[in-house]
Amino acid sequence: MGRLRWQLRLVEPRPPDRLGDRQRMIAAGTFPSANAAPRRLDFIDTVLVVIFLLGLYLGVSLAVSAKVPLTCAPSGFAGLIMLWRRRDQIVPKHLAGLLLVVTVYLCSVLAASDYSFLSKRFTGLLQLSYSLVIAYAMFLTLVHGDRRQISRILLTFCIAIIVGCLLENYAGLRPLSDAVRERLYQTDQVYDADLRDQVLYGRIRPKLFTSEPSAVTFAYTHFSAVWLVISPWRYKVLAYLGLIAMALVVLPGPTLVLMVFLTAPYMVFLAGTRPGGHTSISRTVGALALAGVMVAAAVVFGSIFFAERLNELATGRDASFFYRFTGPMLVALDMFRNHPWAGAGLTGEPYITDNVMNVYMNSPSFQAAWRISRVADVLTNYVWLHWIYLGLVWGVLSLVAVSVWLRMLGVPSVLYCWTVWIILGQASGSYVGPKTWSVMLIAAAASIMAVNAPAQQRSVRPTAFYPNLRYFNSRSKALAS
């Protein structure tokens, strides 16, 4: 028996050198990938991820001072705790990339003209830095988790939104939702165009504890699109179409069209990519064809399900579309002509109030009956705000800086991250807020998990040599006898 135990020790697989793997991972600036088994988030990390996503969904702000709001406050608290818990996994070159991005934005603030607005721009820089830091904390947490576990969290959020909206529409949850909204948000932030919803959609759209219906559809669109990328389920595309169908019935809104558009960057930039950045030509061609079909389908079902909204748009009566796309685009083009060097500066709406009003009044799509209380409320597209705040020169430099940082983070496709950021920017407006930069960093984490997933699944298969157990069983019986 002693000889048998000695032989078994010889063939026993060696336990992994966890400390050595971790040190090598940190030194290389990489994350668990092809040669690392998937890890699961512990209970605390799971709770923090849920709170972070809930904060993005609600968008609740706390006033740190009279001029500095803490936007998406639950996400901020959860992000800071996640950053502390992941402090040993902060790679120096990641931190260098983050400092590069913040430095570029700082230089853009100093380069903007009229220093009487400098304090307002520094407030915007502070909010932007806070948003980047907590989004990076979320990124670190996601890339060190199990994609199955994270995809379940996202899918649970989507289903909870659907169920909650059903309860609000048909089970009497609306009074409670409205009461909570009145306490969470300021009066000017609460959506009150229920009559317009009844005209366009035939009913009042659910708000489910948020400030407006578009916040519900944005979160649902964002979370479901990330689930599509992360989920390992073979039939996830069909399930994703089911999520779109349920949303069209329960929480209608033009933002849902973006759900179909978001399939294109996933299929084009990630579906045919292997670990190491290698691309499968056949899969890429098939993904391009399928992406083209999905984009065409988005155009078709948008014209079918939102015909009345499109009619308003065609006749120039849709103020929401003007403030979300047409108006910000015209203002950005005006910035290129008049302030190409550094734009208006971060959160520089007070500096360009007169310019914005002149541009809007001279636009044939603008109607004089539309009332504007604050310029910031009529520039609700963070993609165009990027150019409005930074101008042409610093806008390009900041794009380069963020792209370099994404490469330092190990993102397999920077174009995927930017495409997702641009698509979702058509439904969100706070450029310096956490929602904007969480879109970017969550897309970065999702792309890493999606590309590394196939090799990661292969790597968890046992590779150690295992002896013939039948031989050892017979040998042990012989020695015992």
Side-chain angles (χ1 to χ4, degrees):
M1 290 295 294
R3 181 180 178 186
L4 174 62
R5 284 194 297 270
W6 177 77
Q7 290 175 334
L8 286 173
R9 280 198 301 271
L10 285 179
V11 297
E12 183 179 7
R14 181 185 176 187
D17 183 6
R18 298 185 183 275
L19 182 59
D21 290 344
R22 185 180 183 183
Q23 291 173 341
R24 285 191 294 272
M25 180 182 67
I26 293 175
T30 57
F31 298 102
S33 58
N35 297 320
R39 304 178 182 181
R40 291 182 59 84
L41 300 179
D42 60 20
F43 176 76
I44 297 178
D45 277 334
T46 302
V47 171
L48 291 174
V49 169
V50 171
I51 294 175
F52 192 97
L53 296 176
L54 185 62
L56 295 181
Y57 171 78
L58 293 174
V60 179
S61 299
L62 294 179
V64 178
S65 67
K67 296 183 178 180
V68 182
L70 184 69
T71 52
C72 297
S75 301
F77 294 129
L80 294 177
I81 297 174
M82 285 191 287
L83 190 67
W84 173 255
R85 287 174 58 82
R86 298 287 173 182
R87 62 191 182 277
D88 294 336
Q89 294 160 354
I90 297 177
V91 181
K93 71 176 184 179
H94 294 182
L95 185 59
L98 176 59
L99 291 177
L100 170 65
V101 173
V102 174
T103 301
V104 170
Y105 278 104
L106 172 61
C107 293
S108 74
V109 168
L110 297 176
S113 58
D114 197 343
Y115 276 14
S116 62
F117 295 92
L118 191 60
S119 62
K120 173 65 175 175
R121 291 164 182 159
F122 267 110
T123 300
L125 179 63
L126 180 63
Q127 292 176 308
L128 176 68
S129 303
Y130 151 77
S131 301
L132 290 172
V133 168
I134 66 172
Y136 174 62
M138 182 65 164
F139 168 85
L140 281 178
T141 303
L142 292 180
V143 295
H144 286 90
D146 177 21
R147 63 197 296 252
R148 295 180 183 273
Q149 181 187 22
I150 296 169
S151 64
R152 291 192 193 102
I153 294 173
L154 293 166
L155 185 60
T156 301
F157 254 100
C158 295
I159 295 175
I161 290 174
I162 291 292
V163 173
C165 291
L166 285 173
L167 293 176
E168 184 173 314
N169 287 334
Y170 305 108
L173 186 62
R174 179 168 287 118
L176 176 61
S177 175
D178 291 340
V180 172
R181 291 168 58 235
E182 290 177 359
R183 292 185 174 274
L184 290 181
Y185 308 101
Q186 298 177 3
T187 304
D188 59 345
Q189 296 177 332
V190 177
Y191 183 85
D192 58 357
D194 290 343
L195 180 60
R196 175 174 174 268
D197 283 353
Q198 290 178 331
V199 172
L200 293 178
Y201 306 103
R203 54 183 161 152
I204 298 176
R205 289 187 293 168
K207 306 169 193 69
L208 197 61
F209 307 111
T210 63
S211 58
E212 57 181 347
S214 62
V216 182
T217 53
F218 180 89
Y220 184 87
T221 299
H222 182 204
F223 298 160
S224 58
V226 178
W227 173 84
L228 174 67
V229 176
I230 295 177
S231 175
W233 191 25
R234 175 179 294 183
Y235 304 105
K236 63 182 179 181
V237 174
L238 295 177
Y240 186 73
L241 295 177
L243 290 174
I244 296 175
M246 286 192 297
L248 288 172
V249 174
V250 178
L251 47 123
T255 303
L256 298 178
V257 178
L258 302 181
M259 289 184 69
V260 186
F261 283 114
L262 285 168
T263 60
Y266 165 63
M267 294 176 181
V268 173
F269 299 117
L270 298 181
T273 304
R274 299 168 181 169
H278 303 294
T279 302
S280 172
I281 301 300
S282 59
R283 291 189 63 184
T284 301
V285 172
L288 283 170
L290 186 56
V293 172
M294 297 295 285
V295 171
V299 175
V300 171
F301 89 70
S303 62
I304 295 175
F305 289 97
F306 307 112
E308 185 63 30
R309 187 73 182 268
L310 292 176
N311 182 53
E312 272 204 349
L313 175 63
T315 56
R317 294 181 288 114
D318 193 339
S320 177
F321 182 84
F322 182 86
Y323 296 152
R324 194 173 296 279
F325 183 80
T326 308
M329 178 186 66
L330 295 175
V331 174
L333 295 177
D334 182 73
M335 288 293 104
F336 291 163
R337 289 189 295 268
N338 299 319
H339 301 279
W341 172 244
L346 290 177
T347 60
E349 287 91 349
Y351 173 60
I352 58 169
T353 298
D354 294 338
N355 300 62
V356 172
M357 296 306 301
N358 289 334
V359 170
Y360 280 16
M361 291 298 180
N362 292 325
S363 172
S365 301
F366 183 81
Q367 294 191 11
W370 297 341
R371 295 288 178 251
I372 298 177
S373 56
R374 288 194 318 159
V375 170
D377 295 336
V378 295
L379 295 172
T380 54
N381 184 311
Y382 65 65
V383 176
W384 292 114
L385 278 174
H386 173 87
W387 303 105
I388 293 171
Y389 286 163
L390 303 175
L392 183 60
V393 176
W394 285 102
V396 172
L397 291 175
S398 61
L399 289 180
V400 173
V402 174
S403 299
V404 170
W405 186 35
L406 291 176
R407 277 300 183 192
M408 290 180 174
L409 295 178
V411 172
S413 175
V414 174
L415 285 177
Y416 166 77
C417 298
W418 280 117
T419 306
V420 170
W421 189 80
I422 290 171
I423 291 174
L424 286 173
Q426 311 313 308
S428 181
S430 178
Y431 181 79
V432 298
K435 186 182 295 186
T436 298
W437 297 104
S438 294
V439 166
M440 178 69 77
L441 273 298
I442 290 176
S447 65
I448 291 173
M449 287 187 283
V451 171
N452 290 338
Q456 191 178 71
Q457 291 171 356
R458 291 193 297 269
S459 68
V460 299
R461 297 175 183 174
T463 56
F465 170 74
Y466 291 98
N468 190 331
L469 295 181
R470 182 182 299 176
Y471 165 78
F472 280 101
N473 288 336
S474 61
R475 181 64 176 167
S476 61
K477 290 180 181 178
L479 290 175
S481 61

mmCIF file of all heavy atoms in Angstrom, residues 22-55:
data_model
loop_
_atom_site.group_PDB
_atom_site.id
_atom_site.type_symbol
_atom_site.label_atom_id
_atom_site.label_comp_id
_atom_site.label_asym_id
_atom_site.label_seq_id
_atom_site.Cartn_x
_atom_site.Cartn_y
_atom_site.Cartn_z
ATOM 1 N N ARG A 22 -1.298 35.358 -10.737
ATOM 2 C CA ARG A 22 -1.826 36.693 -10.496
ATOM 3 C C ARG A 22 -0.753 37.760 -10.723
ATOM 4 O O ARG A 22 -1.006 38.798 -11.326
ATOM 5 C CB ARG A 22 -2.348 36.757 -9.068
ATOM 6 C CG ARG A 22 -3.041 38.064 -8.708
ATOM 7 C CD ARG A 22 -3.506 37.986 -7.278
ATOM 8 N NE ARG A 22 -4.230 39.187 -6.912
ATOM 9 C CZ ARG A 22 -4.694 39.404 -5.686
ATOM 10 N NH1 ARG A 22 -4.519 38.499 -4.762
ATOM 11 N NH2 ARG A 22 -5.332 40.499 -5.412
ATOM 12 N N GLN A 23 0.470 37.468 -10.203
ATOM 13 C CA GLN A 23 1.548 38.427 -10.394
ATOM 14 C C GLN A 23 1.891 38.600 -11.865
ATOM 15 O O GLN A 23 2.128 39.711 -12.336
ATOM 16 C CB GLN A 23 2.781 37.985 -9.599
ATOM 17 C CG GLN A 23 2.595 38.097 -8.078
ATOM 18 C CD GLN A 23 3.757 37.504 -7.321
ATOM 19 O OE1 GLN A 23 4.522 36.715 -7.874
ATOM 20 N NE2 GLN A 23 3.900 37.887 -6.060
ATOM 21 N N ARG A 24 1.935 37.474 -12.596
ATOM 22 C CA ARG A 24 2.237 37.568 -14.017
ATOM 23 C C ARG A 24 1.136 38.319 -14.759
ATOM 24 O O ARG A 24 1.394 39.082 -15.690
ATOM 25 C CB ARG A 24 2.408 36.171 -14.608
ATOM 26 C CG ARG A 24 3.716 35.502 -14.235
ATOM 27 C CD ARG A 24 3.924 34.248 -15.062
ATOM 28 N NE ARG A 24 2.946 33.221 -14.755
ATOM 29 C CZ ARG A 24 3.109 32.321 -13.780
ATOM 30 N NH1 ARG A 24 4.204 32.343 -13.045
ATOM 31 N NH2 ARG A 24 2.189 31.427 -13.555
ATOM 32 N N MET A 25 -0.119 38.114 -14.339
ATOM 33 C CA MET A 25 -1.234 38.796 -14.982
ATOM 34 C C MET A 25 -1.151 40.301 -14.767
ATOM 35 O O MET A 25 -1.329 41.091 -15.693
ATOM 36 C CB MET A 25 -2.549 38.265 -14.416
ATOM 37 C CG MET A 25 -3.795 38.887 -15.011
ATOM 38 S SD MET A 25 -5.272 38.239 -14.228
ATOM 39 C CE MET A 25 -5.112 38.897 -12.574
ATOM 40 N N ILE A 26 -0.837 40.698 -13.538
ATOM 41 C CA ILE A 26 -0.752 42.123 -13.247
ATOM 42 C C ILE A 26 0.426 42.748 -13.982
ATOM 43 O O ILE A 26 0.342 43.850 -14.526
ATOM 44 C CB ILE A 26 -0.634 42.348 -11.724
ATOM 45 C CG1 ILE A 26 -1.940 41.919 -11.037
ATOM 46 C CG2 ILE A 26 -0.308 43.793 -11.397
ATOM 47 C CD1 ILE A 26 -1.893 41.997 -9.539
ATOM 48 N N ALA A 27 1.555 42.030 -14.002
ATOM 49 C CA ALA A 27 2.730 42.578 -14.669
ATOM 50 C C ALA A 27 2.502 42.741 -16.166
ATOM 51 O O ALA A 27 2.973 43.690 -16.787
ATOM 52 C CB ALA A 27 3.932 41.672 -14.427
ATOM 53 N N ALA A 28 1.750 41.824 -16.758
ATOM 54 C CA ALA A 28 1.517 41.889 -18.201
ATOM 55 C C ALA A 28 0.368 42.820 -18.560
ATOM 56 O O ALA A 28 0.188 43.174 -19.722
ATOM 57 C CB ALA A 28 1.235 40.494 -18.752
ATOM 58 N N GLY A 29 -0.439 43.208 -17.569
ATOM 59 C CA GLY A 29 -1.561 44.082 -17.862
ATOM 60 C C GLY A 29 -2.700 43.367 -18.550
ATOM 61 O O GLY A 29 -3.456 43.966 -19.287
ATOM 62 N N THR A 30 -2.841 42.069 -18.320
ATOM 63 C CA THR A 30 -3.905 41.299 -18.947
ATOM 64 C C THR A 30 -4.853 40.781 -17.885
ATOM 65 O O THR A 30 -4.637 40.955 -16.694
ATOM 66 C CB THR A 30 -3.324 40.110 -19.741
ATOM 67 O OG1 THR A 30 -2.538 39.313 -18.857
ATOM 68 C CG2 THR A 30 -2.456 40.622 -20.878
ATOM 69 N N PHE A 31 -5.893 40.086 -18.350
ATOM 70 C CA PHE A 31 -6.901 39.563 -17.458
ATOM 71 C C PHE A 31 -7.108 38.090 -17.743
ATOM 72 O O PHE A 31 -6.584 37.563 -18.719
ATOM 73 C CB PHE A 31 -8.221 40.332 -17.650
ATOM 74 C CG PHE A 31 -8.078 41.779 -17.320
ATOM 75 C CD1 PHE A 31 -7.960 42.726 -18.325
ATOM 76 C CD2 PHE A 31 -8.023 42.192 -16.010
ATOM 77 C CE1 PHE A 31 -7.825 44.062 -18.029
ATOM 78 C CE2 PHE A 31 -7.884 43.533 -15.695
ATOM 79 C CZ PHE A 31 -7.787 44.461 -16.708
ATOM 80 N N PRO A 32 -7.873 37.394 -16.905
ATOM 81 C CA PRO A 32 -8.126 35.981 -17.151
ATOM 82 C C PRO A 32 -8.619 35.760 -18.564
ATOM 83 O O PRO A 32 -9.588 36.351 -18.992
ATOM 84 C CB PRO A 32 -9.214 35.646 -16.117
ATOM 85 C CG PRO A 32 -9.019 36.639 -15.029
ATOM 86 C CD PRO A 32 -8.521 37.880 -15.699
ATOM 87 N N SER A 33 -7.921 34.936 -19.305
ATOM 88 C CA SER A 33 -8.280 34.761 -20.707
ATOM 89 C C SER A 33 -8.089 33.317 -21.099
ATOM 90 O O SER A 33 -8.577 32.426 -20.439
ATOM 91 C CB SER A 33 -7.454 35.698 -21.579
ATOM 92 O OG SER A 33 -6.080 35.455 -21.377
ATOM 93 N N ALA A 34 -7.342 33.096 -22.164
ATOM 94 C CA ALA A 34 -7.260 31.770 -22.732
ATOM 95 C C ALA A 34 -6.638 30.770 -21.799
ATOM 96 O O ALA A 34 -6.940 29.591 -21.857
ATOM 97 C CB ALA A 34 -6.467 31.830 -24.041
ATOM 98 N N ASN A 35 -5.741 31.183 -20.911
ATOM 99 C CA ASN A 35 -5.032 30.247 -20.068
ATOM 100 C C ASN A 35 -5.510 30.276 -18.620
ATOM 101 O O ASN A 35 -4.827 29.781 -17.737
ATOM 102 C CB ASN A 35 -3.525 30.553 -20.102
ATOM 103 C CG ASN A 35 -2.949 30.375 -21.492
ATOM 104 O OD1 ASN A 35 -3.319 29.432 -22.184
ATOM 105 N ND2 ASN A 35 -2.068 31.274 -21.890
ATOM 106 N N ALA A 36 -6.644 30.876 -18.380
ATOM 107 C CA ALA A 36 -7.148 30.995 -17.018
ATOM 108 C C ALA A 36 -8.576 30.489 -16.938
ATOM 109 O O ALA A 36 -9.380 30.754 -17.806
ATOM 110 C CB ALA A 36 -7.098 32.455 -16.557
ATOM 111 N N ALA A 37 -8.845 29.729 -15.890
ATOM 112 C CA ALA A 37 -10.195 29.225 -15.686
ATOM 113 C C ALA A 37 -11.112 30.367 -15.277
ATOM 114 O O ALA A 37 -10.680 31.324 -14.631
ATOM 115 C CB ALA A 37 -10.184 28.158 -14.593
ATOM 116 N N PRO A 38 -12.387 30.328 -15.649
ATOM 117 C CA PRO A 38 -13.301 31.413 -15.297
ATOM 118 C C PRO A 38 -13.493 31.517 -13.796
ATOM 119 O O PRO A 38 -13.535 30.513 -13.090
ATOM 120 C CB PRO A 38 -14.601 31.011 -16.011
ATOM 121 C CG PRO A 38 -14.497 29.537 -16.196
ATOM 122 C CD PRO A 38 -13.049 29.260 -16.409
ATOM 123 N N ARG A 39 -13.590 32.721 -13.301
ATOM 124 C CA ARG A 39 -13.802 32.960 -11.888
ATOM 125 C C ARG A 39 -15.206 33.488 -11.681
ATOM 126 O O ARG A 39 -15.762 34.148 -12.544
ATOM 127 C CB ARG A 39 -12.780 33.971 -11.359
ATOM 128 C CG ARG A 39 -11.340 33.575 -11.607
ATOM 129 C CD ARG A 39 -10.412 34.654 -11.083
ATOM 130 N NE ARG A 39 -9.017 34.339 -11.344
ATOM 131 C CZ ARG A 39 -7.999 35.103 -10.970
ATOM 132 N NH1 ARG A 39 -8.235 36.225 -10.334
ATOM 133 N NH2 ARG A 39 -6.761 34.758 -11.243
ATOM 134 N N ARG A 40 -15.744 33.266 -10.515
ATOM 135 C CA ARG A 40 -17.064 33.773 -10.184
ATOM 136 C C ARG A 40 -16.920 34.919 -9.204
ATOM 137 O O ARG A 40 -16.048 34.914 -8.329
ATOM 138 C CB ARG A 40 -17.926 32.667 -9.575
ATOM 139 C CG ARG A 40 -18.312 31.585 -10.548
ATOM 140 C CD ARG A 40 -19.219 30.553 -9.879
ATOM 141 N NE ARG A 40 -20.431 31.141 -9.370
ATOM 142 C CZ ARG A 40 -21.519 31.360 -10.105
ATOM 143 N NH1 ARG A 40 -21.518 31.042 -11.389
ATOM 144 N NH2 ARG A 40 -22.597 31.901 -9.579
ATOM 145 N N LEU A 41 -17.782 35.926 -9.378
ATOM 146 C CA LEU A 41 -17.817 37.014 -8.420
ATOM 147 C C LEU A 41 -18.373 36.500 -7.105
ATOM 148 O O LEU A 41 -19.309 35.687 -7.086
ATOM 149 C CB LEU A 41 -18.698 38.150 -8.949
ATOM 150 C CG LEU A 41 -18.289 38.790 -10.285
ATOM 151 C CD1 LEU A 41 -19.287 39.868 -10.657
ATOM 152 C CD2 LEU A 41 -16.884 39.356 -10.220
ATOM 153 N N ASP A 42 -17.802 36.954 -5.996
ATOM 154 C CA ASP A 42 -18.350 36.555 -4.709
ATOM 155 C C ASP A 42 -19.625 37.348 -4.429
ATOM 156 O O ASP A 42 -20.066 38.168 -5.232
ATOM 157 C CB ASP A 42 -17.313 36.732 -3.600
ATOM 158 C CG ASP A 42 -16.844 38.177 -3.444
ATOM 159 O OD1 ASP A 42 -17.559 39.089 -3.908
ATOM 160 O OD2 ASP A 42 -15.759 38.399 -2.875
ATOM 161 N N PHE A 43 -20.210 37.098 -3.286
ATOM 162 C CA PHE A 43 -21.506 37.698 -2.975
ATOM 163 C C PHE A 43 -21.423 39.220 -2.942
ATOM 164 O O PHE A 43 -22.298 39.913 -3.480
ATOM 165 C CB PHE A 43 -22.007 37.174 -1.623
ATOM 166 C CG PHE A 43 -23.295 37.805 -1.162
ATOM 167 C CD1 PHE A 43 -24.509 37.446 -1.730
ATOM 168 C CD2 PHE A 43 -23.282 38.791 -0.178
ATOM 169 C CE1 PHE A 43 -25.698 38.041 -1.316
ATOM 170 C CE2 PHE A 43 -24.454 39.388 0.245
ATOM 171 C CZ PHE A 43 -25.665 39.005 -0.327
ATOM 172 N N ILE A 44 -20.365 39.758 -2.324
ATOM 173 C CA ILE A 44 -20.251 41.213 -2.209
ATOM 174 C C ILE A 44 -20.096 41.847 -3.580
ATOM 175 O O ILE A 44 -20.736 42.864 -3.891
ATOM 176 C CB ILE A 44 -19.070 41.578 -1.287
ATOM 177 C CG1 ILE A 44 -19.329 41.054 0.124
ATOM 178 C CG2 ILE A 44 -18.852 43.090 -1.274
ATOM 179 C CD1 ILE A 44 -18.192 41.325 1.092
ATOM 180 N N ASP A 45 -19.227 41.274 -4.418
ATOM 181 C CA ASP A 45 -19.050 41.825 -5.766
ATOM 182 C C ASP A 45 -20.346 41.764 -6.561
ATOM 183 O O ASP A 45 -20.666 42.682 -7.325
ATOM 184 C CB ASP A 45 -17.955 41.055 -6.510
ATOM 185 C CG ASP A 45 -16.559 41.553 -6.154
ATOM 186 O OD1 ASP A 45 -16.438 42.724 -5.763
ATOM 187 O OD2 ASP A 45 -15.610 40.771 -6.249
ATOM 188 N N THR A 46 -21.092 40.676 -6.408
ATOM 189 C CA THR A 46 -22.362 40.554 -7.119
ATOM 190 C C THR A 46 -23.337 41.647 -6.693
ATOM 191 O O THR A 46 -23.993 42.286 -7.533
ATOM 192 C CB THR A 46 -22.988 39.178 -6.856
ATOM 193 O OG1 THR A 46 -22.068 38.149 -7.266
ATOM 194 C CG2 THR A 46 -24.285 39.003 -7.620
ATOM 195 N N VAL A 47 -23.421 41.898 -5.394
ATOM 196 C CA VAL A 47 -24.300 42.950 -4.887
ATOM 197 C C VAL A 47 -23.860 44.318 -5.413
ATOM 198 O O VAL A 47 -24.684 45.151 -5.809
ATOM 199 C CB VAL A 47 -24.320 42.935 -3.344
ATOM 200 C CG1 VAL A 47 -25.063 44.157 -2.802
ATOM 201 C CG2 VAL A 47 -24.973 41.659 -2.838
ATOM 202 N N LEU A 48 -22.544 44.555 -5.449
ATOM 203 C CA LEU A 48 -22.039 45.838 -5.932
ATOM 204 C C LEU A 48 -22.342 46.036 -7.411
ATOM 205 O O LEU A 48 -22.683 47.154 -7.840
ATOM 206 C CB LEU A 48 -20.530 45.923 -5.685
ATOM 207 C CG LEU A 48 -20.102 46.032 -4.216
ATOM 208 C CD1 LEU A 48 -18.587 45.951 -4.102
ATOM 209 C CD2 LEU A 48 -20.607 47.327 -3.594
ATOM 210 N N VAL A 49 -22.217 44.982 -8.205
ATOM 211 C CA VAL A 49 -22.558 45.084 -9.629
ATOM 212 C C VAL A 49 -24.037 45.420 -9.801
ATOM 213 O O VAL A 49 -24.412 46.266 -10.623
ATOM 214 C CB VAL A 49 -22.200 43.777 -10.362
ATOM 215 C CG1 VAL A 49 -22.794 43.762 -11.769
ATOM 216 C CG2 VAL A 49 -20.687 43.618 -10.457
ATOM 217 N N VAL A 50 -24.883 44.770 -9.015
ATOM 218 C CA VAL A 50 -26.330 45.035 -9.091
ATOM 219 C C VAL A 50 -26.623 46.483 -8.709
ATOM 220 O O VAL A 50 -27.411 47.179 -9.369
ATOM 221 C CB VAL A 50 -27.097 44.052 -8.188
ATOM 222 C CG1 VAL A 50 -28.571 44.455 -8.082
ATOM 223 C CG2 VAL A 50 -26.990 42.629 -8.727
ATOM 224 N N ILE A 51 -25.990 46.976 -7.640
ATOM 225 C CA ILE A 51 -26.214 48.361 -7.216
ATOM 226 C C ILE A 51 -25.720 49.338 -8.282
ATOM 227 O O ILE A 51 -26.363 50.362 -8.565
ATOM 228 C CB ILE A 51 -25.513 48.632 -5.870
ATOM 229 C CG1 ILE A 51 -26.171 47.801 -4.759
ATOM 230 C CG2 ILE A 51 -25.559 50.109 -5.516
ATOM 231 C CD1 ILE A 51 -25.465 47.902 -3.430
ATOM 232 N N PHE A 52 -24.576 49.021 -8.903
ATOM 233 C CA PHE A 52 -24.045 49.891 -9.957
ATOM 234 C C PHE A 52 -25.028 49.980 -11.122
ATOM 235 O O PHE A 52 -25.325 51.073 -11.609
ATOM 236 C CB PHE A 52 -22.701 49.332 -10.443
ATOM 237 C CG PHE A 52 -21.930 50.278 -11.317
ATOM 238 C CD1 PHE A 52 -20.935 51.082 -10.784
ATOM 239 C CD2 PHE A 52 -22.195 50.386 -12.675
ATOM 240 C CE1 PHE A 52 -20.216 51.965 -11.587
ATOM 241 C CE2 PHE A 52 -21.493 51.264 -13.485
ATOM 242 C CZ PHE A 52 -20.498 52.053 -12.939
ATOM 243 N N LEU A 53 -25.538 48.848 -11.570
ATOM 244 C CA LEU A 53 -26.500 48.849 -12.675
ATOM 245 C C LEU A 53 -27.792 49.552 -12.274
ATOM 246 O O LEU A 53 -28.395 50.270 -13.085
ATOM 247 C CB LEU A 53 -26.788 47.416 -13.110
ATOM 248 C CG LEU A 53 -25.602 46.634 -13.693
ATOM 249 C CD1 LEU A 53 -26.011 45.196 -13.998
ATOM 250 C CD2 LEU A 53 -25.072 47.307 -14.953
ATOM 251 N N LEU A 54 -28.215 49.362 -11.027
ATOM 252 C CA LEU A 54 -29.432 50.033 -10.549
ATOM 253 C C LEU A 54 -29.240 51.545 -10.525
ATOM 254 O O LEU A 54 -30.157 52.308 -10.865
ATOM 255 C CB LEU A 54 -29.778 49.525 -9.154
ATOM 256 C CG LEU A 54 -31.092 50.037 -8.543
ATOM 257 C CD1 LEU A 54 -32.280 49.593 -9.389
ATOM 258 C CD2 LEU A 54 -31.241 49.547 -7.111
ATOM 259 N N GLY A 55 -28.028 51.986 -10.161
ATOM 260 C CA GLY A 55 -27.745 53.414 -10.174
ATOM 261 C C GLY A 55 -27.791 53.999 -11.580
ATOM 262 O O GLY A 55 -28.292 55.111 -11.783
#
